[in-house]
Amino acid sequence: MNVRTPDPYPGWLSEEDLHEARQRLPMVYVEAVPVRCDPLGYVTEVGLLLQATPEGQMVRTFVSGRVMYRETIRAALLRHLEKDLGPMALPQLPPSLAPFTVAEYFPSPSQTGLTDERQHAVALAYLIPVTGECDPRQDALELSWLTPEEALSPAVYAEFSGGRGDLLRQALASAGWGR
């Protein structure tokens, strides 16, 4: 079973070329943690995607994807938010696109605590408010809206793979949670 999101621009890199590039170069990604905020801008809910791994394991994750050649970070974020959350999610990108962190994934355990067995990847990670209706698409099975307390619970933390639970802690800390 292939659960990988189909590349909407198949001419960019073939599967073989992408595999070769991943073996030789760090890949650039954007990751977005969708949130709902109250009128003062405080995070009230966190949107977590549920996906199946190729091995059939269920894991929690965020909106994520590669930045394409000649694509701006802003355009990549919007493309992946729409792809994963649907066209009516209405993400609110801030005027200044400073990430809450730069996440470094390695194919084997490293000092960063983040792993991606396919590649060495560098991800610009963002906390993005969404105001519309979300309808998970592509390889996401469901989108769960959890309070920050629920999202940081040990049970939910255990559902993340590759160290993404720590990335969620960083995202919420950047918004004032867990201090």
Side-chain angles (χ1 to χ4, degrees):
M1 172 172 73
N2 184 1
V3 296
R4 190 171 157 239
T5 302
D7 192 340
Y9 305 97
W12 184 54
L13 285 176
S14 69
E15 288 296 320
E16 297 78 26
D17 289 343
L18 179 59
H19 177 74
E20 277 298 312
R22 283 179 167 158
Q23 301 307 306
R24 298 172 189 264
L25 303 166
M27 302 300 285
V28 179
Y29 279 72
V30 290
E31 290 192 304
V33 179
V35 295
R36 299 228 189 255
C37 298
D38 69 13
L40 294 176
Y42 293 109
V43 173
T44 58
E45 294 180 304
V46 178
L48 300 178
L49 296 168
L50 183 67
Q51 294 180 330
T53 66
E55 297 79 31
Q57 179 186 7
M58 304 304 277
V59 296
R60 294 282 176 188
T61 193
F62 316 118
V63 171
S64 179
R66 290 189 315 270
V67 177
M68 294 176 31
Y69 180 69
R70 299 186 63 117
E71 181 178 42
T72 66
I73 299 300
R74 186 176 295 277
L77 273 169
L78 284 175
R79 179 170 57 85
H80 289 293
L81 285 159
E82 182 176 307
K83 173 185 63 94
D84 288 350
L85 302 180
M88 299 306 294
L90 305 177
Q92 305 298 301
L93 294 185
S96 172
L97 276 182
F100 68 83
T101 195
V102 176
E104 296 179 272
Y105 292 88
F106 290 92
S108 56
S110 72
Q111 61 272 25
T112 70
L114 299 170
T115 58
D116 182 338
E117 67 281 348
R118 303 169 300 167
Q119 64 196 337
H120 174 193
V122 176
L124 304 173
Y126 299 88
L127 198 67
I128 303 291
V130 295
T131 59
E133 293 299 317
C134 296
D135 181 27
R137 301 171 8 157
Q138 303 295 331
D139 53 352
L141 302 174
E142 120 185 343
L143 173 68
S144 301
W145 289 102
L146 306 173
T147 66
E149 293 87 357
E150 292 168 333
L152 293 174
S153 71
V156 173
Y157 184 87
E159 294 177 352
F160 285 99
S161 66
R164 284 177 181 83
D166 290 337
L167 201 56
L168 177 62
R169 287 187 202 286
Q170 288 179 25
L172 291 173
S174 76
W177 282 93
R179 291 184 185 180

